[in-house]
Amino acid sequence: MRDTRESRLLLVLLIAIAFALITVDIRGGEGSPVDGARRAAATVLGPVENGVASAVDPVGNAIGAVRDSGERHNRIAALQRENTELKQRLGSDDRNRSRVRELDKMLAKAGAGQYGIKGAEVIAIGAAQGFSWTVTIDIGANDGIRRDMTVLNGDGLVGRVTTVGPHTATVLLANDPDFTVGTRMEKTDELGFATGQGDQPLSVQLLNGKAKVKKGDRLVTFGSRKDKPFVPGVPVGQVVRVDPSGGDLTRTIFVRPFVGFTKLDIVGVVVEAPREDPRDAVLPPKPKAEPTPTVTVTVTPSPSDGFTSGEDGADTENADAPVDDPDAPSGNPDATAGTDAGAGTAGQADDQE
């Protein structure tokens, strides 16, 4: 195409139309007029993404072994059986061993919270219709996936389903600036709202401005009405910084997510909520603090403990030894007494002569 005035005008017009569509989409929210076009694009492009993912990574097809784990009856036994079969199919190389560990962790989370999940694999990053933190997974409406379902993995909350095609679905990640989820503090039950900040920690507004929070405290999802878009009890993250309250009605804390959003691979979509709120049961046990070592001081007596050194360097007896009378004549008293006795004997001998 030649660089002419008409081509430049066409380019400017296309850019203006694109920005107009993005603005309408953002302001429209869930009722966006372009939502139909987005679903149509997912319908057309979904099979292509699935085909590419299957060609690049044939092992990923084995994830389908856990996609039918939504039935409540005998769920744990079925998951364990399917997990064993999947391990046998995945092989033993390093990457597959890592994926097996991820699958084990995810199934353990689902079992602890009694969530009915369908396993999925991340096959694409980002979305064609925007610049959000999103991923595409390889299951969709034909697998029972619906909009506003909770997505988790072996570490905790991943996000929620936003767009569903026949064979794929788009997941908005929890670190996206447009993502908000209700949270509850472990043990203290303080409520708040967590908002994504990209590659920064989540910002959480606690409803109680005087809430006692410290670094290391953990949060889980509070849950939504009818469990959509969020089921309760999914681990969210750990407090890394607490802003001073300053007398405000709310308090801001910053939370590092449990999930690493830049290395997602295997995830699970919650298709059946638990009968009861699992509370803190899905959180991993805290590591026990190591006991503080006791310092023992051993004193070894010196060979010269019974003596002190005089000014001239000679050793003298310690304080337990008797002290001479300063009025007594100098010299050894015993020697003086002997001399006096000897003198008296000599005088008696002279008198007898």
Side-chain angles (χ1 to χ4, degrees), residues 51 53 80 102 197 264 275 278 296 332:
Q80 290 175 343
E102 288 184 38
Q197 296 194 117
L264 292 172
R275 293 183 183 274
T296 303
N332 190 338

Side-chain angles (χ1 to χ4, degrees), residues 2-314:
R2 292 184 177 181
D3 185 12
T4 63
R5 180 179 180 183
E6 289 77 8
S7 63
R8 293 178 183 177
L9 289 175
L10 180 61
L11 178 61
V12 171
L13 180 60
L14 291 175
I15 293 174
I17 292 174
F19 275 106
L21 289 175
I22 292 173
T23 303
V24 170
D25 186 24
I26 293 174
R27 293 185 177 179
E30 294 185 0
S32 171
V34 299
D35 193 51
R38 184 184 297 113
R39 286 196 297 268
T43 301
V44 174
L45 297 177
V48 177
E49 291 176 329
N50 265 329
V52 172
S54 299
V56 173
D57 186 11
V59 177
N61 295 328
I63 305 302
V66 296
R67 288 183 183 164
D68 298 323
S69 62
E71 296 297 331
R72 189 179 302 278
H73 181 64
N74 292 331
R75 180 187 303 138
I76 301 302
L79 290 176
Q80 290 175 343
R81 184 170 57 255
E82 291 166 356
N83 189 20
T84 302
E85 295 173 358
L86 181 61
K87 287 179 181 179
Q88 294 174 352
R89 296 173 61 185
L90 285 178
S92 60
D93 60 85
D94 291 342
R95 182 171 185 270
N96 290 335
R97 281 199 295 268
S98 174
R99 302 184 79 190
V100 167
R101 286 194 295 270
E102 288 184 38
L103 183 61
D104 278 337
K105 289 171 61 178
M106 186 177 72
L107 294 177
K109 283 282 189 294
Q114 291 299 297
Y115 307 124
I117 66 170
K118 290 199 173 183
E121 183 180 5
V122 174
I123 57 174
I125 301 173
Q129 68 269 19
F131 304 96
S132 304
W133 288 76
T134 60
V135 295
T136 302
I137 57 177
D138 63 346
I139 55 177
N142 292 348
D143 304 287
I145 304 304
R146 300 291 180 265
R147 183 186 176 96
D148 286 337
M149 284 183 169
T150 306
V151 182
L152 52 78
N153 69 357
D155 297 316
L157 180 66
V158 172
R160 64 180 177 88
V161 176
T162 55
T163 305
V164 181
H167 307 288
T168 61
T170 301
V171 178
L172 183 69
L173 301 181
N175 64 335
D176 188 274
D178 290 333
F179 186 97
T180 301
V181 58
T183 60
R184 180 178 59 78
M185 297 290 299
E186 180 185 14
K187 296 182 180 179
T188 65
D189 292 339
E190 294 287 354
L191 302 181
F193 292 95
T195 303
Q197 296 194 117
D199 56 359
Q200 300 298 315
L202 305 177
S203 173
V204 180
Q205 291 288 120
L206 294 180
L207 302 183
N208 182 5
K210 298 181 180 179
K212 294 182 178 179
V213 188
K214 65 181 183 299
K215 184 177 179 180
D217 287 348
R218 303 183 294 180
L219 296 85
V220 298
T221 55
F222 177 67
S224 307
R225 186 171 178 267
K226 295 184 179 180
D227 300 310
K228 287 189 175 182
F230 302 109
V231 294
V234 181
V236 175
Q238 191 171 28
V239 177
V240 292
R241 195 175 90 234
V242 181
D243 280 357
S245 60
D248 296 334
L249 296 179
T250 61
R251 189 171 193 181
T252 302
I253 61 177
F254 296 91
V255 174
R256 181 179 66 247
F258 289 126
V259 172
F261 298 106
T262 60
K263 52 183 180 180
L264 292 172
D265 187 7
I266 298 174
V267 298
V269 181
V270 180
V271 296
E272 186 177 359
R275 293 183 183 274
E276 298 180 357
D277 186 347
R279 308 291 295 178
D280 302 331
V282 189
L283 284 168
K286 284 188 174 181
K288 295 182 180 180
E290 296 182 359
T292 305
T294 303
V295 179
T296 303
V297 178
T298 303
V299 179
T300 304
S302 171
S304 59
D305 280 348
F307 299 92
T308 57
S309 178
E311 294 181 359
D312 57 355

